[in-house]
Amino acid sequence: MKFAYRFSGLLGTVYRRGNLSFTRDGSSLISPVGNRISVFDLKNNKCETFPLATRLNIVCVGLSPDGSLAILIDEEGAALLVSLVGKCVIHHFYFHKPVHSVSFSPDGKKFVITKDNVALMYHAPGKKREFNAFVLDKTYYGPYDETTCIDWTDDSKCFAVGSKDMSTWVFGAERWANLIYYSLGGHKDVIVACFFEENSLDLYTISQDAALCVWQCDTELDGLKPMPPKNAAREKDAAEDDEEFLEEPKGEEIHGKASPSEQETREKVKYSRVAKYFFNKEGDFNNLTCAAYHKETHLLVTGFASGIFHLHELPDFNLIHSLSISDQRIASVSINCTGDWIAFGCSGLGQLLVWEWQSESYVLKQQGHFNSMVSLAYSPDGQYIVTGGEDGKVKVWNTSSSFCFVTFTEHTSGVTAVTFTSNGYVILSASLDGTVRAFDLHRYRNFRTFTSPRPSQFSCLAVDSSGEIVSAGSQDSFEIFIWSMQSGRLLDVLSGHEGPISSLAFNPMKCVLASASWDKTVKLWDMLDSWRTKETFILNSDVLVVAFRPDGKELAVAALNGQITFWDHESAVQTGSIEGRHDLQMGRKELDKITAKQSAKGKSFTTLCYSADGQSILAGGLSKFVCIYNVKEQILMKKFEISCNFSLDAMEEYLDRRKMTEFGSMALIDGGAGDEDGVAIPLPGVKRGDMSYRHFKPEIRVTCLRFSPTGRSWAATTTEGLLIYSLDSGLIFDPFELDIDVTPSNIRKTLHQKEYTMAIVMAFKLNEKKLIQEVIEAVPSDEVDVVCSSLPDLYVEKVLEFLASAFEISCHLEFYLIWAHKLLMLHGQKLKTRSVKLLPVIQFLQKSIQRHFEDVSKLCEWNIYNIKYALAISQQRGMKRLAEEPSEDEEDLDSDKNLLGSTTFAEV
């Protein structure tokens, strides 16, 4: 088994904090999710998370006007220059202080960042490869407090900066004779946003107390005069002399004054306030938290701390729309280039919404789990993933689109375990509220609720291979409850454990249930023998999790002492063990009194999962690492680092001495006090701020691991969300039985001679995907039957695996269906003898075909409906049609649909 698994997606987290940004075409949305970014393709209904990460959580994102570059800046001011085309990091830069906002100029030549009370303008990275991509051009001083927001004029001549000192500053990107800087007041609270009018220096400023000021400028953009050259040659020579002693050009400094003298303002640009409006005249709304403005349509969107947003038309301040989308603070707002779609991000609940304001409908509505995820399960075909969280919600995600398409909220307490039944259309979930619930994926409803005679908190769940027997373990009464799925009745209560039940697992091939408990035992219960205890395995430590191998012949057990033991449950003999405590490699939490090495001695694996072929086992726990072991050799094959986000706790191995003082760790100080996100200490009688709110760092941990039934990917529920790692075959050169005569030229020569079987065998020996595709697609459709019958048995499995992956990207749907059908019909009996080994490949193939079947079915049904509608209309207009005879087009569509459905897997 090759371990070329790479990070491929982040589900369950759609927005954390920072600003949302639409791409240049307005059809995709970029959202910061922790220390990564996700791109939501709103037209194709897909989501992709980039395989790059910052060191801490991302707080601001700046997109270049051409849509090819992005600047990602984290909490401490470390920036990444990222190519959105190549999805890779181009340059690293450190701003040394937290950055509040970043914005490219509309011409793409400059960008401005705000930090502390200054604004820094840099030359934007160009198309040529610079040694230093970030070159400082100018530094602008003026505000007395921290700067908060930026906006550019359409011609990139000037930009405005808002500040927490309630002032707004207009700066010239170049030194204009009549505009170097200009300070605007008029507000009584922090400036949240400022916007220039289209092709004008007129300005709108918005403050946190929900006030809008309209500023009119007496000069047009064309009226800005360039500064006359003064001693240019001497200044240039002096600058060159200075730069010889500097590592990088320091740039020009511009110092603004809040109250310039009359002589300094003579013949300069002047602003006058022409209007001031208030959003909360009735006092119904809280603080204004974010705003966005679309210049072409003059549309202003404002978000409030109460979850309400307003749409106004400027400059007349006409209210178009007002709606409450959440009960939490709206943290970010963005409008796409056409002005049709508005994106909202709520960091409190992790919500991401895209609203089409003209039709008053949602384009996208996604929300992750409010608290951390606890468990996950793959559907039998690998198409869907179900997750359960501490917020009591059960969510189902589509692995191809990465979207959640249904959320069940019936549980009233945290969900501890979720699983699919064997048919893939029923989801079971266990909860601490004392219920096990069954959900129907056809009608999206809770159709069964299983309860115990006495209220019990269920900690684990298992369902047998037939989907008829449901079992759940209790953590307070130490009992296992057995129910019937059909009737919903309690069949039996299994007693015998003397501690909380920590894990349950059914043998996939036999009617045997394994239960693990904190009483240091694993018990096997025989379902066919009146649930009698078949075997009891006694271990040296509390048992945390059990897992059966896919073929049911081996049982893996993880205990509190960090050991993973393997058992032959038929003969009750231990076949091996892995000492995995040191592989966990714990990090040191900020408030820990002992080192990470010492704390690792008490840690263990809390989740286990066999790979689809049963040769390897995944293990994870309270650590940022996931270990994959070879079961036969009992050695560590690879460690996956699931996160490099230092915004989470227990990430650092050693204590950072810079965070220690003589009074203790600085982590004990609530650093967020006084911020709008932290504790706002109010004046007496002011209903604002929550003194119970405290900043805390969630601890990195892996709560559940599952391998996809297709064997192509595995998923982990972590503090960051649901991470998916997929097998990337393009990363490795993996020839198969290669000899010296197998070359691309010889393969094409054999293909030209119409020796198709030999060409296919040679292509698979070289094992280059593009070459295999070229050879397979060169075989005429009427020759497929002959080629499949003459194909050696060793290569049938490889062709099936190739077909499964080709279905996901190829447009030759019918051609590949013929291949799959012929292979399964001709080699079905031989494949059946190796069904256990081939199961992942067959399930991968089934998943690919099922997805196309569903897509084409919907299209066919829609076309049939349209044809029937057209026929009905034509009959009403007096055209002669025979309603009894189905149209030829309808029959053709039905035949295409039947062709997809005809490829069954009963033979294997």
Side-chain angles (χ1 to χ4, degrees):
M1 185 177 180
K2 301 293 185 292
F3 296 104
Y5 288 97
R6 295 292 184 271
F7 172 81
S8 65
L10 173 64
L11 283 69
T13 307
V14 290
Y15 175 74
R16 281 278 172 84
R17 60 178 296 192
N19 61 302
L20 300 169
S21 307
F22 277 98
T23 52
R24 186 185 179 190
D25 59 358
S27 64
S28 296
L29 178 68
I30 295 178
S31 171
V33 283
N35 65 335
R36 303 178 187 268
I37 55 168
S38 291
V39 179
F40 294 86
D41 187 342
L42 301 173
K43 288 192 174 176
N44 298 318
N45 198 39
K46 285 193 174 179
C47 170
E48 181 185 11
T49 305
F50 281 15
L52 48 92
T54 55
R55 189 173 177 272
L56 297 163
N57 285 334
I58 295 170
V59 292
C60 47
V61 178
L63 292 186
S64 62
D66 61 359
S68 61
L69 296 175
I71 297 174
L72 315 179
I73 305 175
D74 69 17
E75 292 169 342
E76 289 186 352
L80 296 182
L81 179 64
V82 173
S83 167
L84 296 179
V85 181
K87 300 168 189 172
C88 59
V89 178
I90 299 172
H91 185 68
H92 292 260
F93 193 78
Y94 188 42
F95 289 112
H96 300 286
K97 291 284 182 68
V99 174
H100 301 107
S101 56
V102 56
S103 178
F104 275 87
S105 62
D107 61 6
K109 293 181 180 178
K110 304 282 175 68
F111 71 88
V112 172
I113 66 109
T114 60
K115 68 172 186 177
D116 287 343
N117 63 337
V118 298
L120 304 174
M121 186 164 69
Y122 288 82
H123 293 285
K127 306 237 186 267
K128 59 184 185 295
R129 297 178 179 176
E130 296 104 339
F131 175 71
N132 183 7
F134 288 30
V135 178
L136 182 62
D137 183 22
K138 293 182 179 68
T139 304
Y140 296 88
Y141 295 90
Y144 294 108
D145 205 342
E146 293 180 0
T147 45
T148 56
C149 54
I150 308 166
D151 192 54
W152 285 84
T153 55
D154 289 343
D155 59 359
S156 305
K157 288 182 178 179
C158 302
F159 64 92
V161 174
S163 170
K164 286 186 178 180
D165 67 0
M166 302 175 284
S167 66
T168 307
W169 292 74
V170 180
F171 293 108
E174 304 295 334
R175 270 187 175 270
W176 305 109
N178 52 348
L179 177 61
I180 299 173
Y181 62 86
Y182 199 98
S183 174
L184 301 169
H187 285 284
K188 297 179 180 178
D189 208 338
V190 174
I191 305 297
V192 173
C194 53
F195 306 106
F196 281 105
E197 189 54 273
E198 186 180 16
N199 297 318
S200 171
L201 280 170
D202 294 348
L203 191 66
Y204 303 107
T205 58
I206 302 168
S207 61
Q208 191 171 292
D209 60 355
L212 166 70
C213 288
V214 182
W215 303 90
Q216 192 172 21
C217 185
D218 64 351
T219 308
E220 294 296 322
L221 282 170
D222 298 335
L224 293 175
K225 304 168 188 174
M227 185 77 79
K230 188 192 294 182
N231 299 330
R234 190 172 65 189
E235 287 180 7
K236 185 177 179 183
D237 292 340
E240 285 177 357
D241 291 341
D242 289 343
E243 285 176 15
E244 287 179 9
F245 302 100
L246 294 172
E247 292 183 10
E248 58 175 322
K250 191 177 179 181
E252 185 183 355
E253 290 187 359
I254 295 173
H255 292 266
K257 297 178 183 176
S259 303
S261 64
E262 188 177 340
Q263 184 179 355
E264 289 175 324
T265 58
R266 193 176 298 151
E267 296 183 1
K268 294 286 196 319
V269 165
K270 287 186 173 61
Y271 275 92
S272 59
R273 192 178 76 188
V274 294
K276 186 171 184 178
Y277 302 106
F278 295 93
F279 292 89
N280 54 349
K281 290 178 183 176
E282 293 85 16
D284 293 336
F285 312 111
N286 292 328
N287 291 344
L288 190 148
T289 53
C290 54
Y293 181 60
H294 192 257
K295 296 182 181 180
E296 293 173 12
T297 57
H298 306 285
L299 185 71
L300 175 70
V301 187
T302 48
F304 293 83
S306 59
I308 293 173
F309 77 90
H310 286 181
L311 265 67
H312 284 88
E313 187 182 15
L314 296 182
D316 298 328
F317 199 66
N318 297 325
L319 181 64
I320 300 171
H321 200 61
S322 179
L323 190 72
S324 175
I325 57 169
S326 172
D327 57 355
Q328 295 283 325
R329 174 179 180 270
I330 299 175
S332 179
V333 172
S334 181
I335 309 178
N336 75 338
C337 58
T338 60
D340 296 327
W341 293 346
I342 305 168
F344 300 95
C346 302
S347 56
L349 292 174
Q351 281 181 319
L352 182 63
L353 309 165
V354 179
W355 177 259
E356 189 174 54
W357 65 273
Q358 289 171 325
S359 64
E360 297 189 9
S361 60
Y362 285 112
V363 178
L364 173 74
K365 188 177 182 182
Q366 291 284 299
Q367 180 181 339
H369 286 279
F370 177 60
N371 293 323
S372 58
M373 295 183 191
V374 175
S375 59
L376 81 117
Y378 269 98
S379 63
D381 59 0
Q383 261 191 301
Y384 306 122
I385 293 177
V386 60
T387 58
E390 290 177 355
D391 56 359
K393 291 180 181 176
V394 176
K395 289 178 174 285
V396 189
W397 308 82
N398 189 315
T399 54
S400 55
S401 69
S402 300
F403 282 134
C404 170
F405 63 89
V406 62
T407 302
F408 299 108
T409 57
E410 280 78 4
H411 284 295
T412 56
S413 186
V415 176
T416 53
V418 289
T419 186
F420 274 92
T421 57
S422 54
N423 64 7
Y425 295 114
V426 176
I427 293 169
L428 288 156
S429 62
S431 170
L432 295 175
D433 64 4
T435 63
V436 173
R437 295 179 183 269
F439 302 98
D440 180 8
L441 279 188
H442 284 304
R443 297 178 182 84
Y444 300 139
R445 65 189 179 96
N446 174 205
F447 70 94
R448 284 276 186 279
T449 302
F450 308 100
T451 57
S452 56
R454 294 186 305 276
S456 297
Q457 291 187 314
F458 297 122
S459 57
C460 50
L461 176 71
V463 61
D464 74 329
S465 54
S466 67
E468 292 300 319
I469 303 296
V470 180
S471 64
S474 168
Q475 68 179 23
D476 46 10
S477 64
F478 313 157
E479 294 169 329
I480 301 165
F481 298 90
I482 310 293
W483 296 276
S484 165
M485 176 69 83
Q486 285 284 357
S487 63
R489 292 177 58 189
L490 181 66
L491 299 178
D492 209 340
V493 179
L494 309 182
S495 302
H497 282 294
E498 297 172 1
I501 313 298
S502 55
S503 180
L504 293 174
F506 269 102
N507 190 321
M509 300 300 171
K510 293 184 178 179
C511 303
V512 173
L513 173 68
S515 63
S517 172
W518 292 6
D519 62 3
K520 304 181 182 180
T521 63
V522 174
K523 291 181 182 290
L524 298 181
W525 311 82
D526 193 344
M527 188 170 70
L528 300 179
D529 192 9
S530 303
W531 295 105
R532 188 174 59 83
T533 306
K534 190 178 176 184
E535 291 289 349
T536 300
F537 304 144
I538 299 173
L539 287 93
N540 297 324
S541 186
D542 296 2
V543 186
L544 300 180
V545 61
V546 290
F548 275 103
R549 204 166 66 186
D551 61 3
K553 294 181 180 177
E554 188 176 75
L555 181 70
V557 179
L560 194 61
N561 58 5
Q563 273 194 340
I564 303 172
T565 53
F566 301 96
W567 299 78
D568 180 353
H569 64 90
E570 289 291 336
S571 56
V573 173
Q574 183 178 334
T575 57
S577 68
I578 294 171
E579 188 67 47
R581 187 192 300 130
H582 300 294
D583 298 327
L584 265 174
Q585 202 169 333
M586 296 292 298
R588 180 168 182 171
K589 289 193 272 188
E590 286 185 334
L591 302 178
D592 274 357
K593 304 294 184 188
I594 56 174
T595 62
K597 190 174 180 182
Q598 288 294 326
S599 64
K601 292 180 180 179
K603 302 301 180 183
S604 55
F605 293 115
T606 56
T607 176
L608 291 178
C609 177
Y610 274 96
S611 61
D613 57 6
Q615 295 179 11
S616 310
I617 193 165
L618 276 171
L622 295 175
S623 167
K624 63 178 177 178
F625 291 104
V626 170
C627 303
I628 188 161
Y629 294 96
N630 184 295
V631 176
K632 189 178 178 182
E633 303 294 334
Q634 296 171 14
I635 57 171
L636 178 68
M637 300 292 290
K638 187 169 182 179
K639 282 168 74 171
F640 296 93
E641 187 176 7
I642 58 165
S643 178
C644 59
N645 187 358
F646 282 84
S647 294
L648 302 173
D649 207 359
M651 287 292 295
E652 297 183 83
E653 193 173 347
Y654 300 104
L655 191 66
D656 191 348
R657 296 291 179 189
R658 292 172 296 178
K659 295 180 182 177
M660 294 299 293
T661 66
E662 57 181 315
F663 304 107
S665 173
M666 291 183 69
L668 292 166
I669 303 168
D670 188 7
D675 295 348
E676 64 267 15
D677 295 335
V679 180
I681 301 174
L683 293 170
V686 178
K687 294 180 180 178
R688 178 186 167 193
D690 180 9
M691 290 300 291
S692 67
Y693 186 90
R694 290 291 180 271
H695 285 272
F696 70 97
K697 292 176 75 171
E699 184 182 351
I700 185 68
R701 57 175 177 162
V702 179
T703 51
C704 190
L705 291 166
R706 289 293 179 267
F707 240 102
S708 170
T710 63
R712 308 284 300 178
S713 61
W714 56 270
T717 51
T718 69
T719 312
E720 289 215 288
L722 175 61
L723 302 176
I724 296 183
Y725 285 76
S726 297
L727 191 62
D728 190 352
S729 56
L731 291 171
I732 51 173
F733 173 62
D734 185 23
F736 178 71
E737 295 184 352
L738 189 64
D739 55 49
I740 199 167
D741 296 327
V742 179
T743 61
S745 57
N746 282 350
I747 292 169
R748 291 187 177 95
K749 187 177 177 182
T750 309
L751 190 63
H752 187 67
Q753 295 169 356
K754 297 187 177 181
E755 295 180 12
Y756 300 119
T757 307
M758 182 59 70
I760 289 171
V761 170
M762 291 172 71
F764 274 103
K765 283 184 175 181
L766 196 60
N767 207 10
E768 285 191 8
K769 197 168 182 179
K770 287 186 178 178
L771 192 60
I772 294 170
Q773 184 177 348
E774 182 186 332
V775 172
I776 294 268
E777 291 181 359
V779 179
S781 56
D782 54 354
E783 294 279 335
V784 171
D785 201 349
V786 179
V787 173
C788 286
S789 60
S790 59
L791 204 64
D793 293 343
L794 195 60
Y795 291 90
V796 172
E797 179 188 345
K798 292 189 171 294
V799 175
L800 283 172
E801 191 171 354
F802 168 77
L803 291 176
S805 59
F807 269 119
E808 295 188 331
I809 53 172
S810 178
C811 57
H812 304 297
L813 185 56
E814 186 181 3
F815 180 71
Y816 283 121
L817 278 172
I818 293 168
W819 267 97
H821 190 256
K822 295 296 181 187
L823 279 171
L824 291 172
M825 290 297 289
L826 291 167
H827 298 274
Q829 290 300 320
K830 292 178 182 176
L831 293 173
K832 197 172 182 179
T833 59
R834 295 183 291 137
S835 60
V836 174
K837 187 180 177 184
L838 286 173
L839 192 61
V841 176
I842 298 300
Q843 286 177 326
F844 183 32
L845 184 63
Q846 184 184 10
K847 174 189 172 184
S848 303
I849 293 176
Q850 182 70 24
R851 189 166 58 84
H852 282 293
F853 176 65
E854 289 173 0
D855 292 343
V856 176
S857 296
K858 289 176 185 175
L859 186 63
C860 290
E861 287 166 3
W862 177 245
N863 287 343
I864 290 169
Y865 168 77
N866 284 339
I867 290 167
K868 287 180 178 178
Y869 178 73
L871 282 171
I873 293 295
S874 64
Q875 284 176 356
Q876 285 180 3
R877 291 180 179 177
M879 297 180 69
K880 293 182 179 179
R881 300 280 186 191
L882 294 174
E884 295 80 13
E885 295 179 9
S887 65
E888 291 180 4
D889 294 337
E890 184 178 337
E891 289 176 359
D892 291 341
L893 288 167
D894 278 326
S895 65
D896 288 346
K897 186 175 174 181
N898 290 334
L899 177 61
L900 269 172
S902 65
T903 306
T904 63
F905 299 91
E907 296 88 354
V908 181

